[in-house]
Amino acid sequence: MIEVEGLTFSYHGAARATVQDVSFSAPKGSIFGVLGPSGAGKSTLQKVMIKLLPLQVGAIRYGGRPLAALGREFFADVGVSFEQPNLFPRLSGRENLTCLLGLYDREHDDPAALLAALGLGAAADQPAGEYSKGMKQRLVFLRSLIHRPSLLFLDEPTSGLDPATAELVKQMIRDRAASGVTVILTTHDMTLADQLCDTVAFLHDGSIAAMASPRALKLRFGERAVRVERRIDGRLTQEVFGLEAPEEQARLAEALRSPGIETLHSLEATLEQVFLKVTGRALT
Amino acid sequence: MRAAALWSLLWLDLRLAWRGRLFAVTLALGAVMAGAVRIFAPAELGGAHELEELAAAWAAEGGRLTTLRPQAQAMTLQARLVPAVICLDVLVVGFFFGGVMLLQEKALRTLAAYRVSPGGAGLYVTSKVLVNLLMALLYTALVLVIVPPAGASIGAIAGVMGVVSLGSATCTLGGIALAAPFRGLSSFFYPAAVASMVLSAAVPAYVAPAFATEGMSWIRALPTYQAFFALCELLGPGGRAGVLPGFLWISGVGLVITAALAWWLTARRVMQEVA
């Protein structure tokens, strides 16, 4: 479990704090998503949590112990997947995966099995410099897992991946969480967050604007609606009716009584819409 | 555990240096330099015969000949150039390689991956020093095979390896410390070139020792200057017993200073920069 309490971080010379009074906790085995557009403070928050930036104000506890009191044992327990692939281009995929393993005094996964699981088995002995962007992304993700960390920081893990591979990555993340690994997912991909996260925090201008499970957020902030497709005078028309206001409900009832209905779709709010409603700002 | 971690990191750095052709460049440079010395530098003592005749004539006329360092042995030009060839790579190129290895990893952002591992700045720097040390020892061995030192004992050869080890470690650490504040190879090149020129100022002082006097005596404080004469003393005794302790003293102090600087800058600057 990792707990963050009242975390505030300012870069030297900056007029305002990049991260302001952020508090949350991610229990063991949960997937916690930090969502927000570029510049919201996601990366800064993650960097403070993995000790790449110093803790200025607030407290972070991992396993009940203050982060500041943890040394190498913290890094031995952590896996980090960076958004920008950072590999040794002259080393093979297999070598990149295993080259830092000797620094960890713990059991690790079978490199060949991991590579095969994400479709890199055939390219395992090929120099990583010859990999495509997606292959590099997969390898960086696998490198964060191989030493069996208990706390996993993932920054846009499915960025640049085809849908099939992205699904494999998502399943691996779910499996790790199910085995007790705490996952901190940083992304602006609301679909990914919706599919994976137990809890999401919307980060807006450095502060948490809303935090709950994706379903709870959608129920609380989303607007339920129905889209009706009708053929009127030979032309196909579409109308959306909200389910909240009585007058909208009456209009929907009237539409349903009319002839020519071709399709009916229930429209659930997306996390993206919820984010826009909560922060007044789009994600991209 | 730390020994196992160091070995693991060393194995990684050895592969990176091998595939980055640093070993090939080092050994090719050694072969070319030593080969040139072997082919073009005379292996005989020029003028020794005339000197002996002159001394005999002087004695015949009742002149008194005083030998300042009776234990000194005359060295051929070839033997005298060997320390210079060794120092060129070990100190000057080693200095460059230390910085280049660090900056390449900065550019590739692989340092960020290392930064979030249980390794640390000390282990990182030590591994780089050991890789450069291995290259320096291989280079020296190659030079000594191509231009074998006449009459040098096993102890002297071991002494040469010791001097090379100390000099290589100091210069690699110096290169890492100098490269630490820079973001890329292009910005590091000019400061490194200036530093290499300063280190190379020992070359004229070695060829003509009077160069290091009259306002240029600072050259004697350079680790390269001390290394030149220490190697020369080991490969052909010149009767200058103070040279080796002088080298050990200056290089020892240099090693401590550069090690502290390299570690501090790597821990406080390089490892923080990845954020």
Side-chain angles (χ1 to χ4, degrees):
Chain A
M1 179 177 197
I2 188 160
E3 299 160 277
V4 177
E5 199 178 304
L7 179 69
T8 297
F9 184 89
S10 305
Y11 286 101
H12 182 69
R16 50 180 283 279
T18 308
V19 176
Q20 292 183 71
D21 196 24
V22 165
S23 301
F24 66 87
S25 68
K28 184 177 162 66
S30 67
I31 304 178
F32 186 91
V34 181
L35 312 183
S38 300
K42 304 190 299 286
S43 296
T44 302
L45 174 62
Q46 177 170 311
K47 283 171 184 172
V48 177
M49 290 177 73
I50 51 177
K51 297 181 80 166
L52 285 181
L53 288 173
L55 181 62
Q56 294 173 342
V57 178
I60 300 175
R61 282 181 296 276
Y62 176 60
R65 293 175 65 195
L67 197 62
L70 298 170
R72 289 196 185 98
E73 69 269 32
F74 175 71
F75 291 114
D77 220 20
V78 164
V80 182
S81 175
F82 298 88
E83 185 184 5
Q84 298 290 327
N86 49 357
L87 301 163
F88 294 103
R90 290 195 179 99
L91 298 188
S92 69
R94 189 193 311 277
E95 287 172 317
N96 266 288
L97 193 56
T98 56
C99 66
L100 295 176
L101 263 186
L103 301 175
Y104 298 86
D105 189 19
R106 59 198 297 164
E107 292 289 306
H108 59 80
D109 286 344
D110 174 21
L114 274 185
L115 288 163
L118 281 191
L120 291 173
D125 297 316
Q126 193 180 322
E130 295 172 9
Y131 277 22
S132 68
K133 191 189 170 212
M135 291 166 84
K136 286 177 183 169
Q137 189 71 42
R138 278 180 267 169
L139 192 54
V140 169
F141 171 70
L142 292 177
R143 191 179 58 190
S144 72
L145 302 179
I146 190 165
H147 58 282
R148 297 182 183 168
S150 303
L151 178 60
L152 197 52
F153 289 90
L154 304 174
D155 193 353
E156 306 288 1
T158 56
S159 164
L161 300 185
D162 61 83
T165 312
E167 197 47 54
L168 288 175
V169 167
K170 284 183 237 173
Q171 193 51 49
M172 285 180 94
I173 296 171
R174 285 189 199 101
D175 291 346
R176 293 285 163 153
S179 69
V181 175
T182 307
V183 181
I184 307 292
L185 175 71
T186 305
T187 185
H188 65 264
D189 182 344
M190 292 289 168
T191 311
L192 176 72
D194 200 0
Q195 291 171 343
L196 282 182
C197 296
D198 300 303
T199 308
V200 294
F202 288 159
L203 210 58
H204 179 57
D205 288 340
S207 301
I208 292 183
M211 182 168 63
S213 69
R215 180 171 164 74
L217 282 173
K218 284 187 285 189
L219 284 175
R220 184 172 164 202
F221 295 103
E223 287 177 4
R224 293 171 303 145
V226 173
R227 188 176 69 212
V228 180
E229 281 185 346
R230 285 187 294 171
R231 195 166 290 281
I232 301 171
D233 299 332
R235 282 179 50 226
L236 195 64
T237 60
Q238 276 190 13
E239 276 185 284
V240 175
F241 302 93
L243 296 180
E244 312 295 336
E247 60 272 25
E248 284 286 290
Q249 289 177 359
R251 280 185 59 230
L252 174 63
E254 189 181 331
L256 291 177
R257 282 193 293 271
S258 66
I261 292 177
E262 299 246 327
T263 60
L264 284 171
H265 298 277
S266 66
L267 298 177
E268 288 180 347
T270 64
L271 269 186
E272 190 143 8
Q273 288 166 335
V274 175
F275 186 88
L276 184 63
K277 188 166 182 179
V278 170
T279 66
R281 217 186 131 177
L283 268 166
T284 48
Chain B
M1 166 53 197
R2 294 307 278 171
L6 177 60
W7 171 245
S8 159
L9 199 57
L10 182 60
W11 177 234
L12 167 65
D13 280 330
L14 282 171
R15 278 181 292 175
L16 293 175
W18 180 264
R19 296 193 195 162
R21 298 197 173 85
L22 296 187
F23 276 95
V25 168
T26 301
L27 295 179
L29 187 70
V32 169
M33 299 285 288
V37 167
R38 174 78 188 251
I39 293 165
F40 299 114
E44 295 83 31
L45 283 169
H49 182 61
E50 289 84 350
L51 197 64
E52 281 171 16
E53 283 180 356
L54 193 64
W58 175 249
E61 285 184 20
R64 195 165 153 231
L65 196 66
T66 306
T67 305
L68 294 176
R69 293 202 297 269
Q71 65 274 52
Q73 293 175 6
M75 289 179 82
T76 65
L77 180 62
Q78 192 177 83
R80 201 162 158 69
L81 283 177
V82 169
V85 169
I86 291 174
C87 282
L88 174 83
D89 175 81
V90 168
L91 304 175
V92 181
V93 179
F95 177 84
F96 255 100
F97 278 7
V100 165
M101 289 163 114
L102 176 80
L103 292 172
Q104 274 183 338
E105 290 190 32
K106 268 193 190 185
L108 292 169
R109 296 189 303 273
T110 47
L111 261 171
Y114 180 76
R115 174 70 178 83
V116 294
S117 78
L123 212 60
Y124 181 83
V125 170
T126 306
S127 173
K128 298 280 180 284
V129 168
L130 291 176
V131 171
N132 261 358
L133 182 60
L134 180 64
M135 284 195 282
L137 291 175
L138 286 174
Y139 173 95
T140 305
L142 179 68
V143 170
L144 293 179
V145 165
I146 294 173
V147 193
S153 64
I154 295 294
I157 300 296
V160 168
M161 294 303 186
V163 168
V164 163
S165 300
L166 195 51
S168 167
T170 306
C171 285
T172 304
L173 289 164
I176 290 172
L178 186 69
F182 295 99
R183 287 203 170 269
L185 283 171
S186 53
S187 51
F188 170 66
F189 181 79
Y190 292 107
V194 170
S196 297
M197 281 167 67
V198 172
L199 288 172
S200 304
V203 175
Y206 173 69
V207 175
F211 185 78
T213 58
E214 298 294 324
M216 297 291 280
S217 56
W218 57 268
I219 289 175
R220 296 180 193 181
L222 293 174
T224 35
Y225 178 89
Q226 298 294 328
F228 271 129
F229 284 100
L231 289 176
C232 192
E233 189 64 20
L234 286 162
L235 293 172
R240 298 173 66 187
V243 167
L244 278 171
F247 167 77
L248 288 174
W249 170 243
I250 288 186
S251 292
V253 171
L255 183 70
V256 171
I257 293 171
T258 52
L261 265 177
W263 175 82
W264 190 79
L265 285 166
T266 304
R268 299 287 163 207
R269 175 135 196 160
V270 178
M271 294 293 174
Q272 300 303 321
E273 247 178 24
V274 300

